């Protein structure tokens, strides 16, 4: 009798496949690249000696467009998809996981949101004895502690309910607000459903009431010793460490049905005005140390407080990579996509980041994996804490978690010691271990460091989204968020860990070429402001002063410009449509790309320059999760929200007015001259435009027309809307002033 051993493929916990259509894409790549080279050749061989500065600026812009397009192809070259097999996991082999949740401001991140996110994470379909939860409250708020405390009580009913009926999603707020559920019908279920819902609503009511009075009722304060920390006022920027164990694991605390609960620890690290607290990176490093002291799980997942778990099986999907018999030892972290609920049908602000997480990140799987995106990421603790990958050593996922009985009081005391302001002094935290300091996007920076140390990462995207979060629902918050991101990304490019550094190009931990291209594309986001500003300022001002910067329609080179412009837009649209987007979604995404380019990215370059000169420091700005009801109604109608007199609005508003004015003035001049002479070419020769032929201005007219059409919501917000979301008058006045100044200066110097 012959015994056939199972093959390695049968034991694999995930498989990979490459996207189809690569041959067609590579043809497009070669043709488009030829077009870019041809365009630059035209510029070099057709220098405008009468206007050398304008020629240099427009050539520089086109060169940079070409560079960024080339870098972006790192995502498109070989998109790779993974499929996990969580059903092959043995329950006894599931590794312990520490779950780290961060919040920082109870006003911008309401405690009710924190509580719901925490409850969704606590109800994973995973052995609760192997889960530990740590929440960092960098605001040191009793309102947040109150919400977490109430969530710990409600969890004793919520967790067994979720397990019994296998509900999805497991955020109670989302679950109970859904009109139809996949849960079973029947009287017994309905009775239990109504009972749990009533408990949840009571919890929500208590959280909201405390928020309204800005205090915790005395009867609640007497329920837990932790509230004594706020017997005296706690300044968010100046207070001692607060560590409170709300649920004790190891079977000490049990749910309503007698099952063990996971441990839950509230952490508010020490803050002093004289010490740099390092924002989110510092908070996560503090949680890392506390979790290592209390549970020390080999895997650590961090989640933002507004990203609730939408898939109870998500941890099992991720664990497939860490336990895979062939590839697990290479993997430093697994990244889930960031997905968002509440996005309008056509994604008004492009905050669904569909192109990044449903198109581009799959491309990184072919180049050692995606960057660390800051939330929904499961790290191997050893990789996060400074260990380098050694290809000659197959590191197993060892369970070094703390077992046995625990003295929870002593653990609270010891945890306070590792969360003091001075604990990191003279230690490698933030430079050699933990999350890296020195960038506003500590996540991407940390991921780059891990990749430079030889670790791979994996982009894990289950069919049911792992997490759903809250995206900004107004223009200002969107622009601020992208300013922070692009500032931090540019700081990384200027750091020792620049993806194009000699160490990453040729060193022991050198990155793949595609990986360098992908990182560099994001790192150089901020420099998109360069070609965008040039194309939004130079062509219209030159046009209104009779200067042509592009070939005439009759010139064969004209076709190169038209081909590149149209094909890039068609490819972008087709790509989004294949990812189940819509035409209007693409249109909104393109508009926001222009707004961010002339606002967020411009400000991030300015911030980076000021920081380099020692004039100011870049800070960590939290986008608000609080939504005004009237603003939400406008958002659902897909009306752009301006409302606040933000300096972020001035550059794009100025440029929209500039292009509209120059377009109108040019077209009116041409039409007037045509009517008067009944001969277009003769008319143009005699107009103040001074252009040799009207066809020489076609591309400039197209560019200004394109910008003007994209700017229609801005024009409406300035001149037509009367609601509270309209453009503030001060922004309109400043923008008109800048526009007039630019037109005047151009008339003098061009």
């Amino acid at each position: 009798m012959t015994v056939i051993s199972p093959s390695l493929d049968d034991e694999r916990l995930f498989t990979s496949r490459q996207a189809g259509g690569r041959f067609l894409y590579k043809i497009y790549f070669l043709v488009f690249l030829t077009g870019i080279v041809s365009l630059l050749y035209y510029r070099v061989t057709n220098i405008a000696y009468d206007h050398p500065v304008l020629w240099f600026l427009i050539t520089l812009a086109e060169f940079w467009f070409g560079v960024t397009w080339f870098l972006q192809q790192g995502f498109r070259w070989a998109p790779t998809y993974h499929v996990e097999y969580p059903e092959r996991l043995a329950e006894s082999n599931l590794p312990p996981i520490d779950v780290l949740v961060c919040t920082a401001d109870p006003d911008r991140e309401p405690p009710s949101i924190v509580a719901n996110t925490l409850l969704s994470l606590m109800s994973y379909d995973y052995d609760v004895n192997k889960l530990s939860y740590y929440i960092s409250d960098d605001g040191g708020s009793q309102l947040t502690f109150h919400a977490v405390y109430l969530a710990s009580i409600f969890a004793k009913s919520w967790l067994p309910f979720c397990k019994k009926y296998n509900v999805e999603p497991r955020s109670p707020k989302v679950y109970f607000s859904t009109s139809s559920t996949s849960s079973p019908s029947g009287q017994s279920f309905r009775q239990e459903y109504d009972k749990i819902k009533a408990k949840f609503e009571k919890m929500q009511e208590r959280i909201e009431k405390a928020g309204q009075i800005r205090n915790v009722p005395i009867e609640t304060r007497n329920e837990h010793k932790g509230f004594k920390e706020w017997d005296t006022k706690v300044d968010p920027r100046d207070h001692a460490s607060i560590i409170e164990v709300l649920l004790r694991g190891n079977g000490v605390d049990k749910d309503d049905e007698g099952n063990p609960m996971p441990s839950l620890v509230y952490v508010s690290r020490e803050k002093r005005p004289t010490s740099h607290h390092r924002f989110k990176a510092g908070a996560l490093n503090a949680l890392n140390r506390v979790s290592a002291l209390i549970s020390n799980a080999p895997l650590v997942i961090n989640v933002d407080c507004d990203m609730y778990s939408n898939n109870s099986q998500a941890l099992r999907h991720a664990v497939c990579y860490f336990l895979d018999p062939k590839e697990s030892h290479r993997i430093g972290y697994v990244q889930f996509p960031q997905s968002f609920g509440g996005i309008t049908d056509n994604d008004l602000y492009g905050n669904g980041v569909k192109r990044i997480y449903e198109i581009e990140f799959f491309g990184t799987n072919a180049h050692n994996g995606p960057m660390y995106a800051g939330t929904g990421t499961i790290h191997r603790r050893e990789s996060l804490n400074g260990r380098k990958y050694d290809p000659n050593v197959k590191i197993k996922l060892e369970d070094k978690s703390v077992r046995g009985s625990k003295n929870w009081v002593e653990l609270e005391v010891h945890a306070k010691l590792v969360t003091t302001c001075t604990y990191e002094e003279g230690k490698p935290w933030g430079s050699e271990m933990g999350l890296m300091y020195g960038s506003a996007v500590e996540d991407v920076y940390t991921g780059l460091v891990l990749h430079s140390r030889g670790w791979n990462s994996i982009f894990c995207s289950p069919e049911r989204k792992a997490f759903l979060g809250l995206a900004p629902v107004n223009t200002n918050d969107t622009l601020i968020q992208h300013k922070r991101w692009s500032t931090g990304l540019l700081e990384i490019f200027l750091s020792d860990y620049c993806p194009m550094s000699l160490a990453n190009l040729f060193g022991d931990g050198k990155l793949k070429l595609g990986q360098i291209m992908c990182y560099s594309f994001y790192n150089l986001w901020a420099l998109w402001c360069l070609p965008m500003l040039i194309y939004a300022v130079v062509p219209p001002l030159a046009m209104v002063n009779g200067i042509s910067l592009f070939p005439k329609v009759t010139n064969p080179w004209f076709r190169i410009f038209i081909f590149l412009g149209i094909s890039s837009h068609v490819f972008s649209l087709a790509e989004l449509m294949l990812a189940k987007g819509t035409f209007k979604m693409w249109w909104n995404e393109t508009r926001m790309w222009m707004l961010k380019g002339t606002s967020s990215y411009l400000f991030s370059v300015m911030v980076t320059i000021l920081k380099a000169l020692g004039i100011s420091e870049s800070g960590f700005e939290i986008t608000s999760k609080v939504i005004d009801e009237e603003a939400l109604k406008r958002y659902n109608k897909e009306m752009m929200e301006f409302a606040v007199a933000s300096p972020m609005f001035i550059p794009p508003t100025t440029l929209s007015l500039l292009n509209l004015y120059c377009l109108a003035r040019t077209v009116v001049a041409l039409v007037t001259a045509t009517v008067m002479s009944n001969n277009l070419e003769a008319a143009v020769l005699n107009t103040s435009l001074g252009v040799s032929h009207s066809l020489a201005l076609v591309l400039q007219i197209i560019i200004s027309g394109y910008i003007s059409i994209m700017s229609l919501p801005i024009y409406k917000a300035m001149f037509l809307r009367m609601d509270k979301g309209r453009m503030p008058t001060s922004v309109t006045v400043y923008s008109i002033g800048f526009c007039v100044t630019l037109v005047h200066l151009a008339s003098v110097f061009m």
Side-chain angles (χ1 to χ4, degrees):
M1 178 173 148
T2 304
V3 177
I4 301 176
S5 302
S7 67
L8 181 60
D9 286 343
D10 293 332
E11 298 174 0
R12 293 293 304 274
L13 294 175
F14 77 94
T15 55
S16 306
R17 67 174 178 83
Q18 204 172 91
R22 294 301 87 202
F23 178 72
L24 293 175
Y25 162 75
K26 289 171 183 178
I27 290 177
Y28 164 80
F29 171 81
L30 291 174
V31 172
F32 200 89
L33 181 62
T34 301
I36 291 175
V37 173
S38 300
L39 184 150
L40 295 175
Y41 173 80
Y42 167 80
R43 287 298 183 194
V44 172
T45 56
N46 289 269
I47 300 174
Y49 292 104
D50 48 343
H51 299 290
V53 174
L54 300 183
W55 170 87
F56 173 77
L57 289 174
I58 206 73
T59 302
L60 181 63
E62 289 162 356
F63 170 77
W64 195 248
F65 275 134
V67 169
T68 51
W69 175 86
F70 179 77
L71 293 175
Q72 194 177 31
Q73 302 319 297
F75 300 108
R76 271 77 180 170
W77 194 255
T80 302
Y81 303 91
H82 299 309
V83 177
E84 308 86 33
Y85 303 105
E87 68 277 4
R88 297 180 181 178
L89 291 169
E91 290 294 316
S92 59
N93 290 338
L94 292 178
I97 301 176
D98 287 343
V99 184
L100 316 183
V101 183
C102 287
T103 185
D105 186 335
D107 294 320
R108 287 180 171 268
E109 297 169 336
S112 60
I113 290 178
V114 178
N116 273 278
T117 295
L118 183 59
L119 287 163
S120 72
L121 297 169
M122 292 179 70
S123 52
Y124 274 124
D125 181 9
Y126 206 86
D127 185 351
V128 296
N129 294 303
K130 296 183 178 182
L131 292 175
S132 299
Y133 294 84
Y134 302 85
I135 181 158
S136 168
D137 175 18
D138 249 16
S141 170
Q142 66 170 328
L143 298 178
T144 301
F145 177 75
H146 174 240
V148 175
Y149 164 67
L150 294 181
S152 72
I153 297 174
F154 178 68
K156 294 180 180 181
S157 301
W158 179 242
L159 268 62
F161 176 77
C162 290
K163 183 178 181 180
K164 183 176 181 179
Y165 295 107
N166 195 29
V167 304
E168 291 283 9
R170 296 190 176 182
S171 161
K173 181 178 181 180
V174 179
Y175 177 73
F176 289 124
S177 63
T178 304
S179 56
S180 62
T181 72
S182 58
S183 302
S185 57
Q187 186 176 0
S188 61
F189 165 73
R190 178 51 57 180
Q191 288 176 344
E192 194 163 353
Y193 175 93
D194 292 340
K195 180 181 176 182
I196 297 295
K197 184 177 181 181
K199 284 186 177 182
F200 169 70
E201 290 175 345
K202 183 178 180 181
M203 181 194 79
Q204 289 283 88
E205 183 181 343
R206 292 176 68 182
I207 292 173
E208 291 169 3
K209 183 178 179 181
Q212 290 169 358
I213 64 175
R214 308 297 296 178
N215 202 356
V216 177
I218 188 65
E219 59 271 19
T220 305
R221 297 176 69 88
N222 292 331
E223 293 177 11
H224 195 280
K225 68 180 180 62
F227 289 105
K228 293 181 180 179
E229 297 283 355
W230 288 273
D231 284 347
T232 57
K233 185 178 180 181
V234 173
D235 188 327
R237 295 176 295 252
D238 189 5
H239 66 85
S241 295
I242 303 173
I243 310 290
E244 293 293 334
V245 176
L246 292 167
L247 289 174
R248 298 162 296 174
N250 286 12
V252 179
D253 284 320
K254 300 182 183 298
D255 65 26
D256 291 348
E257 296 187 358
N259 302 309
M261 294 289 287
S263 54
L264 171 61
V265 183
Y266 171 91
V267 178
S268 185
R269 61 195 169 120
E270 183 183 23
K271 290 280 193 72
R272 301 300 179 196
T274 55
S275 299
H276 198 319
H277 56 82
R278 306 293 183 180
F279 307 111
K280 182 181 175 181
L284 281 172
N285 282 342
L287 281 191
N288 188 338
R289 295 192 292 273
V290 172
S291 66
L293 177 70
I294 296 177
S295 51
N296 198 33
L299 296 180
V300 178
I301 179 172
N302 74 279
V303 183
D304 287 348
C305 69
D306 62 327
M307 298 290 289
Y308 72 85
S309 170
N310 185 60
N311 184 343
S312 63
Q313 300 290 318
L315 294 185
R316 294 174 177 269
H317 282 270
V319 164
C320 286
Y321 297 102
F322 290 107
L323 296 182
D324 182 74
K326 184 178 180 181
E327 297 292 334
S328 61
H329 63 288
R330 301 175 181 271
I331 298 169
Y333 64 90
V334 172
Q335 177 66 58
F336 287 105
Q338 290 187 29
S339 304
F340 298 93
I343 299 293
T344 62
D345 291 341
N346 298 299
D347 196 1
L348 178 61
Y349 297 113
N351 285 328
V353 287
K354 194 176 186 71
R355 190 172 299 277
I356 293 177
Y357 290 107
E358 296 186 31
I359 298 173
E360 293 177 345
F361 262 37
F362 286 112
T364 64
N365 274 335
H367 312 304
N368 292 344
M371 63 183 62
Y372 170 26
T375 182
T377 316
I378 300 186
H379 285 276
R380 184 191 296 269
R381 192 186 289 271
E382 287 182 306
S383 70
L384 189 61
N385 285 355
R387 182 166 186 167
K388 292 185 178 181
Y389 169 70
D390 185 344
N392 299 315
V393 179
K394 287 201 171 185
I395 306 172
K396 292 184 178 180
L397 196 66
E398 296 181 87
D399 181 359
K400 297 180 180 179
S401 56
V402 180
R403 299 292 185 183
S405 61
K406 301 178 182 180
N407 187 320
W408 294 97
V409 176
E410 286 187 6
L411 286 173
E412 287 182 354
V413 174
H414 291 157
K416 288 183 179 182
L417 297 177
V418 300
T419 55
T420 61
C421 288
T422 57
Y423 181 82
E424 293 184 355
E425 292 179 3
K427 297 181 179 68
W429 288 97
S431 58
E432 298 177 23
M433 65 185 299
L435 273 80
M436 298 294 108
Y437 299 152
S439 170
V441 285
E442 69 294 319
D443 43 12
V444 179
Y445 193 14
T446 303
L448 178 57
V449 171
L450 296 183
H451 282 142
S452 299
R453 291 174 181 165
W455 292 102
N456 288 2
S457 59
I458 289 287
F459 184 55
C460 177
S461 184
E463 185 175 351
R464 182 179 179 89
K465 296 181 185 300
F467 299 94
L468 285 176
L470 297 173
V473 294
N474 63 68
T475 313
N476 189 51
D477 278 353
T478 299
L479 295 179
I480 287 175
Q481 184 180 67
H482 279 267
K483 186 194 84 169
R484 177 170 62 83
W485 288 350
S486 54
T487 300
L489 289 166
L490 185 58
E491 288 172 344
I492 294 172
F493 193 82
L494 300 174
S495 74
D496 293 338
Y497 279 96
C498 170
M500 292 187 180
S501 67
L502 292 177
N504 283 327
L505 287 169
F506 307 109
D508 293 337
K510 66 180 180 181
L511 307 180
K512 286 186 175 182
L513 175 61
Q515 198 172 18
I516 292 171
M517 291 170 66
C518 293
Y519 265 113
S520 297
F521 175 76
Y522 288 138
N523 289 155
L524 296 172
W525 255 358
L527 297 190
W528 270 108
C529 69
L530 171 67
M532 286 187 175
L533 286 172
I534 291 174
Y535 252 66
V537 173
V538 175
L541 289 177
M543 174 178 65
V544 84
N545 284 282
I547 302 170
S548 174
L549 299 175
F550 299 93
K552 300 177 183 179
V553 174
T554 54
N555 189 324
W557 287 105
F558 177 86
R559 300 170 191 170
I560 295 293
F561 287 86
I562 290 296
F563 164 75
L564 292 175
I566 293 177
S567 62
S568 62
H569 282 70
V570 169
F571 183 87
S572 173
L573 173 60
E575 196 174 48
L576 197 63
M577 296 290 278
L578 288 173
K580 299 180 181 179
T582 65
F583 175 83
K584 196 168 182 181
M585 184 183 293
W586 170 80
W587 187 259
N588 289 335
E589 178 191 66
T590 305
R591 178 191 295 117
M592 289 307 303
W593 172 70
M594 293 172 60
L595 282 175
K596 290 179 288 191
T598 56
S599 181
S600 304
Y601 301 161
L602 172 62
F603 277 84
S604 68
V605 169
M606 293 167 60
V607 166
T608 304
I609 292 173
L610 292 174
K611 183 179 178 180
L613 295 174
I615 297 175
S616 69
E617 285 286 328
S618 56
F620 189 95
E621 297 165 288
I622 303 171
T623 51
S624 177
K625 308 304 184 296
V626 180
I627 305 173
D628 174 75
E629 288 300 321
E630 290 300 317
L632 184 59
K633 290 179 182 178
R634 292 190 290 271
Y635 174 69
N636 290 329
K637 292 178 182 178
E638 299 205 330
M639 297 172 63
M640 294 188 73
E641 187 81 6
F642 295 95
V644 297
S646 171
M648 302 287 284
F649 297 152
I650 294 176
T653 304
T654 299
L655 296 175
S656 66
L657 290 171
L658 176 68
N659 278 271
L660 181 63
Y661 168 77
C662 292
L663 176 67
R665 181 172 162 182
T666 301
V667 171
V668 168
L670 288 172
V671 171
T672 301
T674 301
V675 171
M676 291 179 62
S677 65
N678 200 30
N679 184 314
L680 179 59
E681 186 171 351
V684 174
L685 286 170
N686 293 313
T687 62
S688 59
L689 294 174
V691 184
S692 61
H693 198 283
S694 61
L695 299 181
L697 293 177
V698 167
L699 274 174
Q700 281 156 272
I701 291 174
I702 290 174
I703 291 170
S704 285
Y706 176 76
I707 293 173
S708 298
I709 291 173
M710 284 289 183
S711 301
L712 284 176
I714 295 178
Y715 302 142
K716 290 179 181 178
M718 281 193 290
F719 305 120
L720 300 178
R721 287 170 56 180
M722 300 304 294
D723 56 76
K724 292 182 179 180
R726 71 189 303 271
M727 187 73 76
T729 303
S730 60
V731 173
T732 302
V733 171
Y734 276 119
S735 299
I736 291 173
F738 283 123
C739 179
V740 171
T741 301
L742 286 172
V743 171
H744 174 71
L745 292 175
S747 66
V748 173
F749 294 105
M750 283 189 177

